[in-house]
Amino acid sequence: MLPPDMDCSIVIVGCGIAGLGAARRLAEHGFSRIRIVEAKGRQGGRIWSRSFAKGLIEMGAQWIHGPSKQNAVFQLASRYNLLDEMAMSEENQAVEVNGRPPAVTSCYTSSGKRIDPELAVSVEELYSTLIQKSSDFFQSGTEPVQNLGEFLKCEIAQCAEEWKDDKEVCNLKLALLNTEIKIEYCISGADSLDLLALHPFDEYTALPGIDCTFPGGFKTLIDEMMKSLPKDIVSFNKPVKCIHWTDSFKTPGAPEGSCSVQVECENGEIIPADHVIVTVPLGFLKEHCETFFCPPLPPSKINSIQKLGFGTNNKIFLEFEEPFWEPDCDLIKLVWEDEYPLKERPPDLHKVWFRKIFGFIILRPVERCGHVLLTVLAGKEAIFMEQLSDSEVKDCLMQLIHQFTGNPLIPPPKNILRSKWHSDYFTKGSYSYTEVGSSGDDIDIIAHPLPPKSSKLQPLQVLFAGEATHRTFYSTTHGALESGWREADRLRDNYLNDVSKTPNYKT
Ligand code: 6YU
């Protein structure tokens, strides 16, 4: 607990899981003058559960990736008792899935044929081996290949040379591998695997445990976090325009010890603070970092913000009256027979955007979700899809379903709902990835607080949290939550370690 005369005012920009995590941890440390300023009219940010069909669907984060003891979201969800028995079982927590949970899959070709499940499983296994090899390759320090796309192209070409199957089977295997790669786009969020830097790709850490969801929606976690905070701590619909730091706004003769940061809101309101924790998405920072801070951020930080990747991943949910899939099926994969891995994509997106779709995930359990299929689309195609109408998207997906299942009589869905994360002004995409030319060091540079330690100015005026500031768990909710905790602890440590230099902020 902090001595009362050391309490200071802290503004957190953004009410996603990083901002909420920071606020809660600060309150636990004894800080009492905390305020969260959020641009939108709701909490949660990229955690956004909405009503659809029989229950709730997730427009953003859906799964706890690697639900096991080291996962901060899992820890918190368990404490609030938000998960079901299966997710809580020791057995579930121990399974190593490397980011790809097991699923009962049906694979269909573009000529409407079902692929032999054994062949499909063997190609899935081959793909997992290649991804594992990319990590071993990085660890061995071998240099020439820089991106995941290039690495996979070489590896797949070598494998194909060794296949003894007839040409038709070889082509089918390549087409199946291509579908695996489309899933990889959705996992990474990147437009192309050629953009994914190989070295830092390996720094991302997958935790053990079979991915699980929240029975009451991810929002139940956000609701609990909100409940644990003092009332009225969040100001909604209050976009921040600029953060003035380094006393830049102070007039000569301003009283000693007054706040060194000012948060200027779009509505003209000015909120003075001793510390500001910025949790806005990297997509927003990329577009606004030149004007969002006054004085501007140091060039090294701007450079890292621009180098790190921020992809777009969009979801499309379809609700059907009756299922056309088999009862035990978790995943329907679409395999285009005329495609092979990492083939150059044609530029005319309006004709081909839907080819980036890997297939459909069946939401479970049916009693809670209804008969709902989810598809995910990444990159340029996802951005293009945002400008189409619901009926254009629905018609296009139905054409795919008819073509691949070979059944033109499947009736259209009753409802459609989709995300448009790229058009979201305060997000501008879905999550970060380490783009070629960037590395884990850029993530650390973005996370460094300002002013730098070497400066004589009041330290820790501006701190940075959010998924894109976590070196090993970037792109996830647990990474975001840990980053909020990290910055709250940084502030606490600063006060506890350096009492002599701490001004009395209450003057
Ligand atoms: C996870 C999952 N998941 C799908 C999709 C998306 C994401 N993620 P926030 O944005 O939440 O909060 C910032 C707030 O700031 C926000 O409210 C803004 O409105 C506000 N703001 C902005 N500007 C402002 C201003 N000027 N003034 C005031 N306020 C302002 N994560 O764990 N499981 O299943 C998925 C998925 C479609 C879009 C996800 C998933 C990512 C998480 O949603 C995300 O990281 C956190 O919610 C971010 O929280 P935050 O607080 O930082 O920001 C190998 C390898 C590669 C590594 N990749 C592995 C893939 C793992 C990711 N998988 C994702 C998959 C899905 C389906």
Side-chain angles (χ1 to χ4, degrees):
M1 186 71 108
L2 296 165
D5 64 337
M6 281 179 25
D7 201 4
C8 52
S9 66
I10 304 168
V11 172
I12 297 168
V13 184
C15 192
I17 194 167
L20 283 168
R24 202 186 120 94
R25 189 83 151 211
L26 286 167
E28 278 167 9
H29 289 331
F31 292 95
S32 59
R33 293 162 63 206
I34 309 163
R35 182 164 171 192
I36 303 180
V37 183
E38 167 56 50
K40 295 180 181 167
R42 62 170 180 86
Q43 63 265 27
R46 281 169 275 172
I47 296 177
W48 187 19
S49 315
R50 289 186 65 183
S51 298
F52 184 72
K54 271 191 169 177
L56 287 172
I57 50 88
E58 308 291 353
M59 300 296 271
Q62 182 156 349
W63 294 278
I64 304 184
H65 290 308
S68 48
K69 298 214 163 58
Q70 306 97 297
N71 185 312
V73 167
F74 179 75
Q75 284 169 23
L76 208 53
S78 315
R79 201 184 312 156
Y80 290 130
N81 207 11
L82 300 176
L83 301 175
D84 62 22
E85 226 177 283
M86 172 81 156
M88 293 303 297
S89 71
E90 294 285 336
E91 217 180 6
N92 197 78
Q93 292 173 45
V95 183
E96 294 280 353
V97 293
N98 264 327
R100 287 196 171 221
V104 177
T105 306
S106 303
C107 295
Y108 293 94
T109 67
S110 41
S111 54
K113 289 188 215 106
R114 190 77 184 267
I115 299 177
D116 171 16
E118 249 178 62
L119 179 71
V121 168
S122 72
V123 172
E124 254 173 51
E125 285 170 358
L126 168 64
Y127 185 78
S128 297
T129 326
L130 296 181
I131 288 291
Q132 181 54 46
K133 205 167 166 191
S134 76
S135 160
D136 300 344
F137 175 83
F138 156 66
Q139 278 161 11
S140 73
T142 330
E143 270 306 310
V145 178
Q146 294 300 324
N147 65 65
L148 184 65
E150 212 182 318
F151 176 83
L152 286 176
K153 250 181 253 174
C154 298
E155 288 295 319
I156 291 172
Q158 257 181 34
C159 290
E161 266 178 33
E162 287 161 22
W163 289 337
K164 306 264 182 297
D165 313 277
D166 62 41
K167 195 155 190 299
E168 204 181 322
V169 177
C170 284
N171 286 344
L172 194 53
K173 281 182 166 177
L174 288 172
L176 273 159
L177 279 169
N178 199 43
T179 301
E180 295 303 314
I181 286 168
K182 288 179 190 174
I183 298 178
E184 199 67 54
Y185 294 132
C186 296
I187 296 172
S188 67
D191 177 57
S192 150
L193 298 193
D194 290 348
L195 292 173
L196 271 184
L198 201 52
H199 286 210
F201 177 71
D202 187 66
E203 276 194 67
Y204 175 83
T205 308
L207 294 172
I210 300 180
D211 291 5
C212 67
T213 55
F214 287 79
F218 226 125
K219 76 186 276 296
T220 50
L221 181 69
I222 296 295
D223 292 345
E224 290 294 340
M225 291 177 85
M226 285 291 285
K227 271 193 246 161
S228 72
L229 290 171
K231 252 189 152 207
D232 302 327
I233 192 176
V234 189
S235 304
F236 291 106
N237 297 309
K238 203 179 272 296
V240 169
K241 183 176 177 191
C242 183
I243 294 162
H244 301 266
W245 58 297
T246 65
D247 294 339
S248 57
F249 49 89
K250 279 192 183 162
T251 48
E256 267 292 300
S258 57
C259 293
S260 36
V261 192
Q262 279 190 345
V263 176
E264 181 190 351
C265 301
E266 288 285 357
N267 68 355
E269 189 183 338
I270 303 280
I271 309 170
D274 296 301
H275 309 283
V276 176
I277 304 181
V278 177
T279 75
V280 302
L282 179 66
F284 180 87
L285 274 185
K286 275 180 180 288
E287 296 225 334
H288 302 280
C289 66
E290 308 269 354
T291 55
F292 199 60
F293 300 90
C294 178
L297 296 174
S300 60
K301 217 187 234 308
I302 295 186
N303 191 30
S304 294
I305 287 172
Q306 297 305 3
K307 277 201 293 179
L308 201 64
F310 196 71
T312 295
N313 231 349
N314 273 320
K315 292 180 170 183
I316 310 170
F317 296 89
L318 301 173
E319 183 196 7
F320 288 85
E321 195 75 61
E322 294 296 334
F324 61 83
W325 49 92
E326 283 153 14
D328 65 338
C329 179
D330 300 310
L331 182 62
I332 296 168
K333 282 187 191 167
L334 308 183
V335 181
W336 291 88
E337 286 154 302
D338 60 347
E339 286 182 358
Y340 54 87
L342 303 156
K343 180 179 160 185
E344 193 96 346
R345 281 149 40 211
D348 39 359
L349 284 177
H350 67 286
K351 286 194 193 142
V352 292
W353 68 270
F354 48 85
R355 276 191 173 240
K356 193 88 171 279
I357 289 173
F358 67 81
F360 298 92
I361 298 166
I362 291 123
L363 295 197
R364 300 220 182 277
V366 66
E367 308 76 54
R368 205 168 64 216
C369 305
H371 303 301
V372 177
L373 294 186
L374 157 65
T375 189
V376 187
L377 190 61
K380 287 193 193 103
E381 289 82 350
I383 297 172
F384 176 81
M385 186 272 293
E386 293 188 10
Q387 68 188 34
L388 299 176
S389 69
D390 277 356
S391 61
E392 282 171 309
V393 173
K394 199 162 50 167
D395 290 351
C396 192
L397 294 189
M398 275 323 288
Q399 270 177 31
L400 279 185
I401 289 172
H402 289 155
Q403 176 182 349
F404 280 77
T405 58
N407 179 359
L409 301 176
I410 295 171
K414 290 202 291 189
N415 284 308
I416 179 169
L417 187 64
R418 61 204 167 106
S419 64
K420 295 180 181 176
W421 286 105
H422 192 261
S423 321
D424 181 327
Y425 183 86
F426 295 108
T427 313
K428 276 296 184 197
S430 49
Y431 43 84
S432 59
Y433 65 91
T434 40
E435 189 162 321
V436 171
S438 71
S439 73
D441 290 347
D442 290 298
I443 298 179
D444 287 345
I445 291 172
I446 296 173
H448 277 161
L450 292 171
K453 266 195 187 140
S454 54
S455 123
K456 291 201 176 78
L457 292 161
Q458 168 65 34
L460 304 187
Q461 294 178 16
V462 190
L463 302 98
F464 295 83
E467 56 85 13
T469 68
H470 198 294
R471 187 158 180 155
T472 50
F473 295 152
Y474 59 86
S475 75
T476 64
T477 49
H478 51 284
L481 178 58
E482 274 200 5
S483 73
W485 289 350
R486 178 192 68 213
E487 295 313 311
D489 290 352
R490 197 195 295 277
L491 277 177
R492 185 240 0 233
D493 293 348
N494 176 65
Y495 280 80
L496 291 184
N497 294 343
D498 211 353
V499 177
S500 60
K501 281 193 203 149
T502 310
N504 182 345
Y505 290 114
K506 286 215 166 141
T507 51

